[in-house]
Amino acid sequence: MTGTTSDPKYPERPRRARRLGIAVLVCTVPALCAGGWFGWQALADGSRPAASSAATPAGTAAAPEPSSPEPAPASSGPAAGGPAPSGSAPTGSGPLNGRTVLLDPGHNPGNTKHTTEINKQVDIGNARKECDTTGTATNAGYSEASYTLDVVHRAREILRQRGANVVLTQDGDRPFGPCIDERARIGNQAKADAAVSVHADGAPSGAHGFHVIMPGKVTAGAADTSAIVDPSHRLGLELRDAFKRATGQPYADYIGKDGLDTRTDLGGLNLSRVPKVFIECGNMRNAADAQHMTDPQWRQKAAEGIAEAVTAFLAQGS
């Protein structure tokens, strides 16, 4: 998010641009890009610095450009940002037969061309926040939106082979969004057994590691996480442990504790009625983390970690 939680994430920790015009300006000035982490601290769910327009680093397999965090702008409906999401039928038979998994690739590269739409405020229950943000990028220009969609595609194939019906909030098939509230609604309407929102952070270059964000208890307006806090916590623990085993990535050294963080300011979690967590797979502004995330083989490991976590969680009968 600034990272990653599809919602404008930090404070929410705001990381995305409130006005993309500002975000784009910041990231076109190398000396200022490193300050993105502080900028998002003032934004909301999914607020991060705008992704750089630089070309994908040499040797990096370009991933399909994804869509954004939660639902489409103010209207919050599929028609506002693109086609309604559809599930991917299982390709195999296994432990996930009959289960539905929601995968939420954070951000949308098209958001930079739709600043008016993504800057509109949506209701997340206990506050109002930007529909979405642009996400972050490595210093070489590999965008968070490309990263998240690539990892989600890889995880989807693993889960489908295990018998799961997999629903995506967006598949690079819409011009922007969806907005954060719509992202939650897609999982609710699918009656997902588990939901994971995939992100990458944009913290200061010296910070590194991954962390999992779980929902805190929120009962305000349209938000009521009472029923999902406990199962989401179990899903979060499974995801933290499986991701670390699969990738070797250390826990974040700049946020959370032992790779876990609990938030009540993310629309994608506040409005969810199904067990859901976010994962910030690493800090794209950190050289070591960026090297991992631009490596297709590492992204495959990241996908395997996510799939293993979902499989283990659903094996508990949740």
Side-chain angles (χ1 to χ4, degrees), residues 39-131:
W40 51 244
Q41 299 256 2
L43 295 182
D45 264 32
S47 302
R48 300 179 179 160
S52 165
S53 59
T56 300
T60 297
E65 296 288 311
S67 296
S68 180
E70 309 203 343
S75 63
S76 296
S86 58
S88 295
T91 57
S93 180
L96 300 182
N97 286 350
R99 311 310 287 270
T100 295
V101 177
L102 183 285
L103 295 179
D104 177 24
H107 312 294
N108 185 326
N111 283 356
T112 58
K113 297 179 180 179
H114 294 274
T115 60
T116 299
E117 292 88 345
I118 71 166
N119 278 303
K120 289 182 179 179
Q121 300 277 304
V122 297
D123 184 5
I124 65 167
N126 58 1
R128 293 187 66 80
K129 299 183 74 169
E130 291 90 343
C131 156

Side-chain angles (χ1 to χ4, degrees), residues 178-190:
C179 295
I180 55 180
D181 57 325
E182 184 186 346
R183 289 175 184 264
R185 185 164 56 256
I186 291 169
N188 296 343
Q189 293 175 340

